[in-house]
Amino acid sequence: MRLVHSTGKRAQGGAIAVIVALSMAVLLGFLGLAVDGGHLYLIKTELQNGADACALAAAYELTDAPAIAPVAFNRAEAAGQAVAQKNKVDFQNGGIASANTTVEFGTSLAAGSPWMTAAAGPAGNSKYVRCTIQQTNIVPYLMQVVGAGNQTVRAAATASLAPSQTNCAVPMALCVKPGGTAANNFGYTVGDWYGLDFSATGGGSQASYTGNFRWIDFDPGSPTPGCSGGGAQELACMMAGSGQCNLPSPITGSCSGSGPSTDPGCVGENGQISSMEQAYNTRFGLYKGSYSATNSPMDFTGYSYRSDTWTLGRDAYGGSVAGMQNFKSARTAFSATQSAYVPGGGYSNSSVAQHQTGADRRLVVVSVVDCTGFTSGQHAPIRGYACMMLLDPYDRVGNNVISKFEFLGLSNQAGSPCASSGVAGNASSEGPLVPTLVQ
């Protein structure tokens, strides 16, 4: 009988076991890369959504360059972090902590340019905001088997303000002055005051206007979303709310009189509207009737400007008068409307604490209209959009409205104090500045 040695088979079995073990390790590595890599990619996508939202929210506050006030950077940082925290991560199960969100400001996108937090004191011409969000201590599902430790994922987004294709504006028009073009601000001077100066009741619509403004209807045939009714009721709703959005682009031609629905870029005139007073004054934190801070937000300040509260008589937005608050200072202090300028008839005046919960409500976008079109038809062409500041509450002597605005330039100019919401356009767009992602 011949004896057969089995050591060769045992050796082969051991080698196969080693190969299988190595193969399993490789397969587990690939599986780990797929599973854990997909998990990290998902978190990266969720963080990117949060970073985009953070940057857009913060960029809204970067108005007034190259002289952005330090308090504006603080507001921008707070707004960005607040919006970032509304986003979720890790299959939408976890929140984004404020400590994990960094908001920084810069003057350039060039490589090596400095980025500074609000506390570090960014330059007043910082027109970019960058949000960086990170998620730390992400435990791998499978890769920890092969020695991989906890992971960190980051996402960043950069935003700025740019002219929009569409925009939101209050239902008022600033009339083009004779010889006015976009090149000369349609005949207006930045910092100057201009009056509404019209009779709130009686008389023909043209005859009653002696100032620079008109109440207008952007599209009489289509009610504004969220505003029921029409005419004065709809316009009052717009004034107390966000205004009219998705407006037409300016035109160079004339209007046929057929109406905005068939003649884009044209607006209708509404004449006198005595019911606008209460809606207008909500922006100053003055409430009456059904209006309240809940349904009609106030500005950060209700401080009013007339010749006795601002003896310079112009440039109340950022000018200097000894012993008096300009608009920027009043906003920083959340100053309420002075009692002498609260219209009679039962208005409640908001407090400093209430103004702290306000919004950007007194810097408004208005359409610039060739009002001569109203004399020959029912409609007039929009030539552009302007940034205006509401100086004082809607008030009148007898039937004559005495309230005024301050002209702050065209709303699509770089550094305009006005920011709106809408679709970002290109360098030739005419709309007001809106937040837009640039990186």
Side-chain angles (χ1 to χ4, degrees):
M1 178 180 295
R2 187 174 63 183
L3 298 175
V4 178
H5 297 282
S6 60
T7 52
K9 290 185 178 180
R10 286 197 300 271
Q12 291 177 6
I16 292 173
V18 171
I19 293 173
V20 170
L22 291 174
S23 298
M24 289 294 292
V26 172
L27 290 173
L28 183 61
F30 280 118
L31 181 61
L33 286 174
V35 173
D36 289 322
H39 182 211
L40 295 177
Y41 181 80
L42 171 69
I43 293 177
K44 170 76 171 180
T45 301
E46 292 171 322
L47 291 180
Q48 191 64 58
N49 291 338
D52 291 349
C54 169
L56 290 172
Y60 185 89
E61 302 293 341
L62 297 185
T63 58
D64 215 25
I68 302 174
V71 68
F73 291 116
N74 293 331
R75 286 200 303 264
E77 182 178 67
Q81 290 179 340
V83 171
Q85 290 178 69
K86 293 182 181 296
N87 288 267
K88 301 293 184 181
V89 294
D90 204 356
F91 296 99
Q92 299 294 291
N93 289 322
I96 295 176
S98 176
N100 290 340
T101 303
T102 303
V103 182
E104 298 172 300
F105 306 92
T107 60
S108 173
L109 296 178
S113 296
W115 292 88
M116 305 177 70
T117 63
N125 61 340
S126 298
K127 59 181 179 178
Y128 300 104
V129 58
R130 175 172 294 171
C131 286
T132 305
I133 304 177
Q134 68 175 8
Q135 188 76 359
T136 60
N137 296 321
I138 303 170
V139 180
Y141 294 134
L142 298 176
M143 292 299 291
Q144 59 181 322
V145 175
V146 294
N150 292 354
Q151 303 294 303
T152 296
V153 175
R154 293 181 179 87
T158 305
S160 185
L161 293 173
S164 62
Q165 297 177 23
T166 58
N167 53 87
C168 297
V170 294
M172 299 190 73
L174 180 64
C175 294
V176 176
K177 287 191 172 184
T181 65
N184 65 5
N185 286 330
F186 298 105
Y188 291 89
T189 301
V190 174
D192 278 1
W193 294 3
Y194 298 95
L196 278 69
D197 297 336
F198 56 79
S199 172
T201 59
S205 60
Q206 277 299 126
S208 65
Y209 281 101
T210 59
N212 305 94
F213 293 90
R214 302 285 189 275
W215 293 119
I216 57 168
D217 196 338
F218 292 102
D219 191 351
S222 301
T224 302
C227 293
S228 59
Q233 182 179 356
E234 182 182 3
L235 267 62
C237 174
M238 291 162 57
M239 197 71 196
S242 58
Q244 173 79 26
C245 298
N246 299 321
L247 301 178
S249 299
I251 62 174
T252 57
S254 59
C255 297
S256 65
S258 58
S261 59
T262 58
D263 205 356
C266 294
V267 295
E269 186 180 32
N270 263 73
Q272 302 79 26
I273 304 178
S274 58
S275 61
M276 291 296 288
E277 176 186 313
Q278 293 181 28
Y280 188 101
N281 286 341
T282 62
R283 293 176 178 254
F284 289 81
L286 303 175
Y287 295 103
K288 183 178 178 180
S290 61
Y291 293 108
S292 69
T294 301
N295 58 34
S296 305
M298 70 189 80
D299 193 85
F300 294 112
T301 178
Y303 196 84
S304 301
Y305 297 92
R306 292 182 187 167
S307 58
D308 52 348
T309 60
W310 191 255
T311 55
L312 187 61
R314 69 179 311 276
D315 197 17
Y317 176 70
S320 177
V321 175
M324 298 182 178
Q325 296 185 84
N326 64 22
F327 183 73
K328 292 181 180 180
S329 298
R331 270 195 164 185
T332 301
F334 305 104
S335 301
T337 304
Q338 307 92 309
S339 58
Y341 304 108
V342 177
Y347 278 100
S348 61
N349 192 3
S350 298
S351 65
V352 169
Q354 289 171 316
H355 278 290
Q356 291 179 13
T357 64
D360 192 1
R361 299 287 288 162
R362 285 177 60 184
L363 299 177
V364 298
V365 174
V366 301
S367 56
V368 182
V369 171
D370 182 357
C371 294
T372 59
F374 291 133
T375 63
S376 57
Q378 296 297 313
H379 305 94
I382 297 175
R383 300 301 191 208
Y385 292 96
C387 177
M388 307 292 293
M389 184 179 82
L390 280 61
L391 287 165
D392 53 346
Y394 188 105
D395 202 1
R396 54 191 176 182
V397 175
N399 288 328
N400 296 317
V401 178
I402 61 173
S403 306
K404 288 181 170 57
F405 285 60
E406 181 170 306
F407 181 75
L408 297 176
L410 302 185
S411 61
N412 64 336
Q413 293 174 339
S416 170
C418 286
S420 184
S421 59
V423 180
N426 52 37
S428 62
S429 295
E430 296 283 351
L433 301 178
V434 297
T436 181
L437 293 172
V438 294
Q439 281 187 347

